[in-house]
């Protein structure tokens, strides 16, 4: 290629990139499922919708929620508990889709045998109201264990919580179920399977501020995400390669493959991103028992299905 042709190609690329609308999206720190989470941004599905999806990572979904409320993000995907709590207190937030409806989350321990053994023990969680914290509380409620009989210590992200258990600082810690192969090598075992014990608990929903849902780009973003999941489940090897790249997983690490197979199971991923309000109602009741939310709060008031329907229409073209 001549220098003139190369310069022309660079100019054309720059012009094309300038035509794309930036969409700022947040997610938690990359793990074995990163190929699924990042496919829309890395696989070109965003460009097909005229967007440039820029993904920012956060140590927990509570931090991503703060960034969204501060106007630093257009959307983020996380557990619906935090947004529900914020909305009940006047936060202008909308749940526009719930794609990861299966709760692929577990509690791991080195010394305990079951959930019943958690009473009187120390559990490493994350910020109050974030997924690990609420999940642990929900398990205790399900098992009839007084929450105040368990010491919940804030220990950061998944890796930090696991280290706390391995070192003996904590007796147990919640983490994504995909961690199971690595946990076994560290002498840990899952003592709670979230999907089995709490079938109404959803792992990830797409959350936006109320003002963002009126943008045409909001539907384009969801359409890109829908296309990304469809593509990812038809191209396993490519998705696993992306997971390893984004999460910087070493050769031989089984996490990406384990996470992909978990997500592939029936009932885990909702390809149409529907929002089951009955599951949000269940979560509201759990949060009311833990004192995080008013039992009278109606989750349906923060569900905006117009974005999802518009995205489905775009996907059908």
């Amino acid at each position: 290629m001549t220098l003139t042709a190369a310069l022309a190609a660079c100019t054309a690329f720059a012009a094309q990139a300038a035509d794309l609308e930036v969409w700022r999206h947040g997610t938690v720190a990359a793990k074995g499922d990163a190929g699924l989470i990042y496919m829309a941004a890395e696989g070109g599905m965003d460009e097909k919708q005229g967007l440039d999806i820029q993904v920012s990572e956060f140590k927990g979904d509570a931090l991503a929620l703060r960034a969204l409320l501060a106007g630093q993000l257009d959307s983020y995907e996380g557990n619906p508990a935090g947004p529900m709590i914020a909305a009940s207190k006047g936060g202008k937030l909308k749940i526009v889709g719930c794609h990861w409806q299966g709760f692929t989350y577990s509690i791991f321990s080195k010394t305990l045998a079951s959930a019943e053994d958690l009473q009187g023990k120390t559990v490493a969680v994350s910020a109050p109201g974030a997924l690990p914290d609420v999940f642990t509380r929900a398990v205790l409620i399900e098992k009839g264990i007084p929450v105040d009989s368990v010491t919940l210590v804030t220990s950061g992200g998944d890796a930090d919580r696991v280290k706390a258990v391995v070192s003996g600082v904590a007796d147990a810690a919640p983490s994504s179920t995909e961690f199971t192969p690595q946990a076994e090598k560290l002498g840990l075992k899952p003592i709670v399977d979230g999907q089995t014990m709490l079938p109404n608990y959803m792992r990830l929903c797409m959350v936006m501020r109320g003002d963002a849902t009126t943008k045409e780009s909001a539907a384009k973003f969801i359409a890109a995400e829908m296309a990304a999941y469809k593509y990812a489940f038809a191209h396993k090897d490519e998705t696993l390669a992306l997971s390893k790249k984004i999460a910087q997983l070493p050769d031989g690490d089984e996490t990406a493959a384990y996470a992909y197979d978990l997500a592939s199971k029936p009932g885990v991923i909702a390809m149409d991103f529907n929002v089951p309000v009955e599951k949000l109602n269940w979560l509201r009741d759990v949060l009311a028992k833990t004192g995080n939310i008013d039992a009278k709060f109606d989750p349906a008031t923060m569900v905006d299905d117009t974005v999802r329907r518009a995205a489905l229409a775009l996907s059908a073209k």
Side-chain angles (χ1 to χ4, degrees):
M1 180 183 290
T2 65
L3 177 59
T4 301
L7 290 173
C10 289
T11 302
F13 178 79
Q16 180 182 8
D19 291 338
L20 299 176
E21 181 180 354
V22 172
W23 183 271
R24 303 163 301 166
H25 182 61
T27 186
V28 297
K31 300 189 291 295
D33 56 14
L36 296 167
I37 301 294
Y38 280 78
M39 184 59 76
E42 298 292 328
M45 290 75 183
D46 56 346
E47 294 180 8
K48 292 179 180 179
Q49 294 294 338
L51 299 179
D52 174 13
I53 298 177
Q54 298 181 357
V55 183
S56 297
E57 288 186 11
F58 297 85
K59 273 197 170 184
D61 48 8
L63 294 175
L65 173 57
R66 292 179 192 173
L68 180 69
L69 289 169
Q72 298 168 357
L73 297 173
D74 298 302
S75 63
Y76 91 95
E77 55 194 303
N79 184 251
M84 285 174 57
I85 294 171
S88 72
K89 297 178 180 178
K92 306 301 182 182
L93 296 170
K94 294 295 181 181
I95 294 176
V96 300
C98 293
H99 51 311
W100 210 297
Q101 295 187 10
F103 198 59
T104 51
Y105 226 73
S106 301
I107 292 181
F108 294 89
S109 179
K110 193 174 184 178
T111 58
L112 308 183
S114 67
E116 286 78 6
D117 297 331
L118 290 170
Q119 186 160 356
K121 300 300 191 295
T122 297
V123 181
V125 295
S126 58
L131 171 55
D133 175 69
V134 177
F135 168 47
T136 301
R137 294 171 186 272
V139 168
L140 297 177
I141 290 173
E142 179 69 18
K143 288 298 181 179
I145 300 173
V147 176
D148 59 7
S149 72
V150 177
T151 302
L152 303 179
V153 293
T154 302
S155 303
D158 282 15
D160 298 320
R161 295 195 301 274
V162 169
K163 287 179 183 177
V165 178
V166 172
S167 66
V169 173
D171 299 296
S175 182
S176 175
T177 305
E178 71 188 52
F179 179 70
T180 301
Q182 188 177 350
E184 293 173 351
K185 295 177 182 178
L186 294 172
L188 307 183
K189 59 183 178 297
I191 62 171
V192 173
D193 175 63
Q195 196 161 359
T196 301
M197 185 178 292
L198 304 172
N200 286 318
Y201 208 142
M202 294 188 290
R203 181 181 174 191
L204 298 175
C205 292
M206 293 292 187
V207 184
M208 299 180 186
R209 291 188 313 281
D211 60 309
T213 61
T214 61
K215 299 179 181 178
E216 184 180 352
S217 50
K220 292 180 178 179
F221 166 70
I222 296 299
E225 290 288 344
M226 288 176 172
Y229 276 89
K230 182 178 180 180
Y231 183 89
F233 286 122
H235 299 82
K236 181 175 181 177
D237 290 343
E238 187 176 336
T239 305
L240 295 185
L242 181 57
S243 291
K244 292 176 181 178
K245 173 187 172 184
I246 297 295
Q248 299 181 350
L249 300 176
D251 292 339
D253 191 290
E254 305 171 56
T255 308
Y258 197 88
Y260 186 94
D261 291 342
L262 278 175
S264 300
K265 291 182 178 180
V268 175
I269 302 296
M271 302 296 282
D272 65 352
F273 283 45
N274 71 87
V275 182
V277 176
E278 68 278 6
K279 291 189 175 184
L280 294 180
N281 288 337
W282 172 85
L283 182 57
R284 182 269 320 278
D285 293 342
V286 170
L287 293 171
K289 290 177 182 177
T290 60
N292 292 106
I293 203 169
D294 189 323
K296 296 180 181 179
F297 175 72
D298 183 4
T301 60
M302 65 178 301
V303 175
D304 186 338
D305 199 43
T306 60
V307 175
R308 187 184 73 91
R309 292 201 305 269
L312 288 171
L314 288 172
S315 300
K317 292 182 178 179

